[in-house]
């Protein structure tokens, strides 16, 4: 295992499926004071609504179904997102279900705090750990890749 520091100013991704957007917006509005001390990221329409509701800047990715969930997952894998609040809808099939599963898998793999409903989000955001540096463990993927005969460093892709 390796360690990574989560600074006092966390990078928080906020995502909500359509039927959960109102719930996320209400939660975010209630927690505006806490959220405003962190850097916020969101996918598509959720980001637009959050920015209007909270009146604070939100870094916005594409909409989830057109790549936004994958963009957030990539940021998690790169160590650039520290915390995920994803109010997903368990009652509605999503056209991008594989992307949703991949995003949640990366959040677990990289050991970032993840809330998928309001109760969990309330517990996480009210934790004293939100206001201090936190050292989280991350997997030792170099060892994993070596054991599976895969190259450790992939070349970067250039446009």
């Amino acid at each position: 295992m390796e360690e990574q520091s989560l600074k006092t100013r966390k990078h928080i991704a906020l995502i909500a499926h359509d039927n959960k957007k109102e719930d996320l917006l209400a939660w975010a509005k209630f927690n505006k004071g806490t959220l405003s001390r962190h850097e916020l990221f969101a996918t598509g329409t959720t980001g637009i609504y959050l920015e209007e509701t909270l009146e604070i800047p939100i870094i916005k990715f594409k909409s989830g179904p057109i790549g936004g969930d994958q963009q957030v997952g990539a940021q998690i894998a790169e160590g650039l997102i520290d915390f995920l609040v994803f109010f997903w809808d368990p009652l509605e099939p999503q056209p991008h279900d594989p992307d949703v599963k991949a995003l949640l898998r990366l959040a677990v793999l990289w050991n970032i705090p993840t809330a998928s409903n309001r109760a969990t989000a309330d517990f996480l955001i009210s934790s004293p750990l939100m206001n201090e540096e936190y050292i989280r463990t991350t997997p030792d993927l170099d060892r994993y890749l070596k054991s599976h005969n895969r190259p450790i460093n992939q070349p970067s892709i250039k446009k």
Side-chain angles (χ1 to χ4, degrees):
M1 294 300 240
E2 298 177 359
E3 294 182 344
Q4 182 176 358
S5 172
L6 303 183
K7 303 298 182 198
T8 55
R9 183 172 166 83
K10 312 278 187 292
H11 292 175
I12 303 172
L14 302 161
I15 304 172
H17 284 155
D18 288 346
N19 290 340
K20 298 293 182 175
K21 284 191 189 337
E22 285 184 25
D23 197 22
L24 179 67
L25 291 171
W27 176 84
K29 188 173 183 178
F30 181 81
N31 291 290
K32 177 181 177 178
T34 301
L35 290 171
S36 68
R37 294 191 298 269
H38 302 281
E39 192 161 0
L40 305 180
F41 301 77
T43 53
T45 309
T46 303
I48 293 168
Y49 291 159
L50 283 165
E51 205 164 54
E52 290 172 358
T53 300
L54 301 177
E55 298 177 329
I56 56 178
I58 309 287
I59 297 167
K60 292 176 281 303
F61 296 108
K62 294 183 184 304
S63 175
I66 61 168
D69 294 337
Q70 291 185 351
Q71 287 178 305
V72 173
Q75 296 290 300
I76 291 170
E78 293 295 328
L80 302 174
I81 296 287
D82 305 319
F83 192 106
L84 175 63
V85 177
F86 186 179
F87 287 11
W88 58 277
D89 188 347
L91 299 177
E92 290 290 324
Q94 302 294 325
H96 62 299
D97 272 341
D99 297 344
V100 171
K101 183 177 180 181
L103 171 59
L104 294 172
R105 183 177 94 47
L106 288 169
V108 170
L109 175 67
W110 291 103
N111 193 28
I112 67 165
T114 303
S116 58
N117 58 51
R118 194 166 183 165
T120 306
D122 285 340
F123 273 83
L124 290 178
I125 203 161
S126 63
S127 167
L129 298 174
M130 281 297 294
N131 301 315
E132 57 189 60
E133 187 172 352
Y134 176 79
I135 305 297
R136 68 180 168 96
T137 58
T138 59
D140 181 359
L141 294 179
D142 288 348
R143 187 179 63 177
Y144 170 82
L145 293 171
K146 285 178 188 174
S147 71
H148 288 80
N149 295 319
R150 295 186 177 137
I152 294 172
N153 293 315
Q154 299 292 329
S156 59
I157 299 171
K158 299 187 186 212
K159 281 188 167 183

